């Protein structure tokens, strides 16, 4: 139980040694917490996870190559900015799984790729690509501001590092799903990046999305991303914080008073 195995002692009695939780099989990815069980939309099997990782890796490689070579000059659509968007999107979703598997092993599942983010998220990505391609074809002069894309690339990279770094720092205290029951090992993390931002992973996600649209110079999708993601976090953060107040009481209330989110209009 809990990784404890009886070990023979010199006096003939057995002793219990606590060891970190380990899956019964090296390829098993069934979370031990009932609160983070996969929703079943994608099969939670090693084969499916390998396939998803392979596809994301291929997308990342193609996008990164297109970005690295500066796009294809004779092509109106094979633009370096589109390459960056594809690469950053693929790497974002792969990193969500990889960070969870590396630093939050008890909660890892196929849902850790965050590919089941909801129809609004996938529509936003599809609309962003469509807006870029349509504008590139019919109004190419609308996307001739390289400094905007440079700002977007920097914002995307910094925001992604913020999100992954905060997930690594929180380790098993982080969860992709709102927890409605406090786990025994759950502690309130208020140091590191959490001393400056109350929900750094959300802040990173929010500005990562906006950064990708600045890179593509998509004014319509920039506004759309802002609305979709702001609405998501505006609804989710109060729900999550009600549970955190139940878990940690005044400690969380005082922490919330001291530290903000850096997401507009969400104190």
């Amino acid at each position: 139980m809990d990784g404890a195995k009886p070990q023979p002692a010199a006096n003939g009695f057995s002793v219990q040694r606590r060891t970190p939780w380990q899956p019964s099989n090296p390829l098993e990815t069934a979370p031990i917490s009932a609160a983070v069980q996969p929703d079943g939309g994608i099969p939670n099997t090693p084969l499916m996870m390998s396939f998803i990782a392979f596809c994301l890796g291929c997308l990342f490689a193609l996008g990164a190559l297109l970005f690295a070579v500066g796009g294809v000059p004779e092509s109106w659509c094979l633009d370096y900015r589109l390459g960056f968007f594809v690469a950053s999107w693929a790497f974002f979703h792969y990193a969500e799984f990889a960070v969870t598997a590396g630093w939050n092993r008890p909660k890892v599942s196929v849902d850790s790729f965050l590919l089941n983010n909801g129809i609004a998220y996938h529509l936003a990505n599809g609309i962003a690509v469509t807006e870029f391609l349509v504008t590139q074809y019919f109004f190419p002069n609308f996307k001739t501001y390289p400094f905007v894309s440079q700002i977007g690339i920097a914002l995307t990279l910094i925001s992604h590092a913020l999100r992954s770094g905060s997930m690594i720092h929180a380790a098993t205290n982080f969860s992709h799903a709102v927890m409605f029951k406090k786990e025994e090992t759950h502690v309130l993390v208020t140091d590191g990046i959490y001393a400056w931002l109350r929900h750094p992973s959300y802040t990173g996600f929010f500005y990562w999305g906006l950064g990708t649209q600045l890179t593509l110079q998509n004014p319509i999708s920039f506004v759309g991303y802002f609305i979709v993601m702001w609405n998501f976090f505006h609804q989710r953060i109060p729900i999550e914080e009600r549970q955190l107040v139940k878990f940690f009481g005044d400690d969380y209330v005082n922490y919330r008073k001291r530290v903000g989110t850096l997401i507009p209009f969400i104190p």
Side-chain angles (χ1 to χ4, degrees), residues 170 172-174 182-190 244 248:
T172 57
N173 299 293
F174 179 86
K182 185 177 183 295
E183 297 179 335
E184 292 183 6
T185 57
H186 191 181
V187 298
L188 179 60
V189 181
T190 60
L244 291 171
F248 302 109

Side-chain angles (χ1 to χ4, degrees), residues 210 213 218-228:
L210 297 183
Q213 298 315 298
N218 279 349
I220 297 174
S221 291
F222 181 88
V223 174
Y225 266 59
F226 185 98
I227 293 172
V228 169

Side-chain angles (χ1 to χ4, degrees), residues 175-209:
S175 175
H176 281 123
V178 175
M179 304 294 287
F180 292 94
K181 181 179 180 181
K182 185 177 183 295
E183 297 179 335
E184 292 183 6
T185 57
H186 191 181
V187 298
L188 179 60
V189 181
T190 60
D191 61 344
I193 188 60
Y194 286 84
W196 301 91
L197 295 170
R198 195 165 76 246
H199 295 285
S201 66
Y202 293 168
T203 304
F205 197 168
F206 181 80
Y207 286 105
W208 170 83

Side-chain angles (χ1 to χ4, degrees), residues 1-8 14-19:
M1 302 295 288
D2 193 31
K5 296 182 179 179
Q7 302 291 335
S14 63
V15 297
Q16 298 283 330
R17 293 182 180 178
R18 294 178 63 85
T19 57

